[in-house]
Amino acid sequence: MATDQLIRLFTDENRVRVFAAVALGADTPEDVARAAGVPAKETALALLKLREEGVVTAGDGGEGEGEGGGRLAVAYALFRQYAREGREAATPDTGNPGSGDADTDALLRTFVREGRLVRLPAQWTRKKLILKYIAEQTFEPGVEYPERTVDEKLRGWCEDGDVDHVTLRRYLVDLEHLRRSEGIYRRVA
């Protein structure tokens, strides 16, 4: 699966720093090394691995490349493809979530579309079901998440919706889907 592959790729700190430098606009190995604060040899190795995996691209500088030949760039199209594949794998038939229960599936299709929360139901029992679904889909049981990570994950649910990530976080804590202690969150198993 693409997610596992990306996780393994970004377990190396130098690769992360080099990738970040490219994402922020460094477009030559020298600029990347300088921006990332990584020695040139280690930058070259990191760039080689990032290019092999396809997350960073570069023209070969040959004819037909134009003035931008050889310039490094993030392969955003690959990330979009991985995101599409992940959504399709999670919800192959309709692009909507499924639980196996027809009533629950209908409720989820109403309030969750393409991995986004459209809005929260007004009815409290329905709201709790949607929030439980979001907690289960977003957080692994027993894993500790700093507040910043929780906010980032919940923002993904809130794009183009009526609910903000702070409201979602508060509901998840209030309903004890997440436990908070000293700025660290953990999903209850």
Side-chain angles (χ1 to χ4, degrees):
M1 177 180 221
T3 304
D4 295 335
Q5 184 180 355
L6 286 174
I7 290 170
R8 283 192 299 279
L9 180 65
F10 289 117
T11 57
D12 179 78
E13 183 179 346
N14 284 338
R15 281 190 289 234
V16 171
R17 294 173 67 142
V18 166
F19 180 82
V22 173
L24 292 172
D27 60 359
T28 66
E30 297 79 20
D31 289 343
V32 170
R34 190 171 27 260
V38 175
K41 183 177 180 180
E42 293 175 32
T43 297
L45 290 172
L47 283 171
L48 178 65
K49 186 66 176 173
L50 292 168
R51 288 179 68 190
E52 284 175 355
E53 295 297 327
V55 298
V56 169
T57 61
D60 61 11
E63 291 183 22
E65 285 291 323
E67 293 181 2
R71 299 292 183 199
L72 299 168
V74 172
Y76 291 107
L78 179 68
F79 288 99
R80 285 190 291 275
Q81 174 188 339
Y82 284 166
R84 274 192 306 274
E85 289 171 1
R87 275 197 305 266
E88 289 167 5
T91 54
D93 296 332
T94 63
N96 289 314
S99 69
D101 174 49
D103 292 336
T104 302
D105 288 350
L107 180 68
L108 290 170
R109 279 192 304 273
T110 301
F111 295 99
V112 178
R113 293 198 188 114
E114 296 182 3
R116 304 283 186 257
L117 178 64
V118 178
R119 67 184 186 284
L120 280 173
Q123 186 180 14
W124 186 242
T125 54
R126 290 179 172 191
K127 188 179 294 186
K128 289 193 307 189
L129 193 135
I130 296 294
L131 291 164
K132 179 181 179 192
Y133 175 81
I134 289 172
E136 290 172 350
Q137 296 299 310
T138 309
F139 303 102
E140 293 295 322
V143 174
E144 293 184 343
Y145 298 94
E147 187 168 299
R148 175 183 241 167
T149 302
V150 171
D151 287 347
E152 288 172 9
K153 288 177 168 284
L154 294 178
R155 272 189 198 103
W157 286 97
C158 298
E159 289 178 18
D160 301 324
D162 292 341
V163 181
D164 65 16
H165 68 282
V166 176
T167 301
L168 267 185
R169 186 183 70 215
R170 185 173 48 246
Y171 276 131
L172 293 174
V173 171
D174 289 349
L175 292 171
E176 297 184 356
H177 293 302
L178 292 179
R179 290 220 173 113
R180 175 179 50 209
S181 177
E182 298 179 14
I184 300 296
Y185 295 75
R186 179 179 299 165
R187 186 179 135 218
V188 180

